[in-house]
């Protein structure tokens, strides 16, 4: 029993003191500030998250979305022939940026197609919000400007109709709850 570390040891107290000092000098909120969109808003997010840049939402133009860490993926899709190279950002990086507190994400498209997805899915899989396919920007005539793309070739369990309908193209809005 004598060689067990004692909870009141000086090192432990020192560590606690250091953590306390860190909290004093850190900014109150470690949340990144989301800038105001300068261009056309192409994605707007509503609901249960902490980091807004509008009164009730977080609004993004394309330039802001392209500042997120770039994620790439080559996969087949259910609506095109062969495989394609997609570039965009990870849905979970976007949710982290806005400080999402929700467990359910509802995605809405320009044609008012709506689908609800569990937020934990975006931690389990590298789901992209793509803005380019085969080095070309996605246009709104062709699934763009934003298309939710699942890594379907990388995970056989995603090759399923239940996931096919989560590939929302012409994504315009997310609601978090
Ligand atoms: N914006 C938008 N995305 C959508 C849909 C839609 O109607 N609008 N349909 C979903 C469904 S039901 C499927 S199976 C896949 C493929 O749909 P498509 O074959 O009509 O392109 O896209 C999904 N994404
Ligand atoms: Mo479908």
């Amino acid at each position: 029993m004598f060689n067990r570390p004692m909870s009141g040891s000086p090192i432990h107290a020192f560590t606690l003191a250091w953590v306390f000092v860190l909290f004093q000098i850190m900014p109150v909120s470690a949340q990144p500030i989301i800038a105001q969109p300068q261009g056309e808003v192409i994605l707007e997010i509503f609901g249960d998250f902490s980091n807004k840049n509008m009164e009730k939402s977080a609004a993004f133009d394309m330039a802001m979305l392209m500042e997120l860490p770039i994620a790439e993926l080559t996969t087949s899709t259910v609506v095109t022939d062969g495989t394609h190279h997609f570039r965009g950002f990870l849905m979970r990086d976007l949710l982290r940026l806005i400080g999402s507190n929700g467990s359910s994400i509802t995605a809405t498209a320009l044609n008012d197609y709506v689908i609800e997805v569990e937020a934990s899915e975006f931690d389990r899989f590298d789901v992209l919000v793509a803005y380019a396919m085969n080095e070309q920007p996605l246009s709104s005539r062709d699934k763009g400007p934003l298309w939710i793309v699942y890594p379907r070739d990388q995970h056989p369990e995603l090759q399923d109709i239940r996931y096919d309908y989560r590939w929302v193209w012409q994504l315009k809005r997310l609601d978090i709850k």
Side-chain angles (χ1 to χ4, degrees), residues 1-69:
M1 81 184 267
F2 285 106
N3 48 24
R4 282 169 68 189
M6 292 175 290
S7 60
S9 80
I11 291 180
H12 189 64
F14 179 78
T15 306
L16 279 180
W18 180 226
V19 167
F20 181 77
V21 166
L22 269 182
F23 270 103
Q24 298 303 300
I25 61 177
M26 267 183 357
V28 177
S29 161
Q31 293 271 359
I33 301 217
I34 304 179
Q36 293 294 308
Q38 303 298 312
E40 185 194 349
V41 170
I42 57 167
L43 179 64
E44 193 161 8
I45 310 176
F46 295 85
D48 187 6
F49 60 98
S50 49
N51 211 358
K52 302 186 163 93
N53 64 353
M54 300 282 160
E55 199 184 323
K56 290 183 175 155
S57 69
F60 293 86
D61 62 20
M62 188 55 100
M64 295 164 72
L65 295 173
M66 291 179 83
E67 276 172 24
L68 280 155

Side-chain angles (χ1 to χ4, degrees), residues 65-159:
L65 295 173
M66 291 179 83
E67 276 172 24
L68 280 155
I70 292 172
E72 296 179 83
L73 174 63
T74 298
T75 185
S76 63
T77 85
V78 280
V79 296
T80 55
D81 292 330
T83 62
H84 300 277
H85 176 255
F86 292 95
R87 180 177 295 117
F89 52 87
L90 293 178
M91 184 67 99
R92 69 167 162 271
D93 285 344
L94 176 68
L95 296 177
R96 202 164 290 157
L97 172 69
I98 62 166
S100 169
N101 299 311
S103 56
S104 147
I105 313 290
T106 301
T108 306
L110 289 172
N111 66 345
D112 291 331
Y113 178 80
V114 179
I115 181 101
E116 186 177 343
V117 180
E118 272 180 46
S120 61
E121 188 157 301
F122 304 122
D123 290 322
R124 265 185 297 135
F125 302 108
D126 292 343
V127 179
L128 248 69
V129 180
Y131 44 71
M133 183 172 81
N134 305 326
E135 313 306 327
Q136 298 300 312
L138 288 166
S139 81
S140 8
R141 268 177 292 121
D142 188 24
K143 311 290 188 200
L146 298 174
W147 189 4
I148 299 178
V149 171
Y150 279 76
R152 101 190 285 281
D153 287 5
Q154 290 72 12
H155 300 278
E157 67 264 46
L158 298 180
Q159 293 161 25

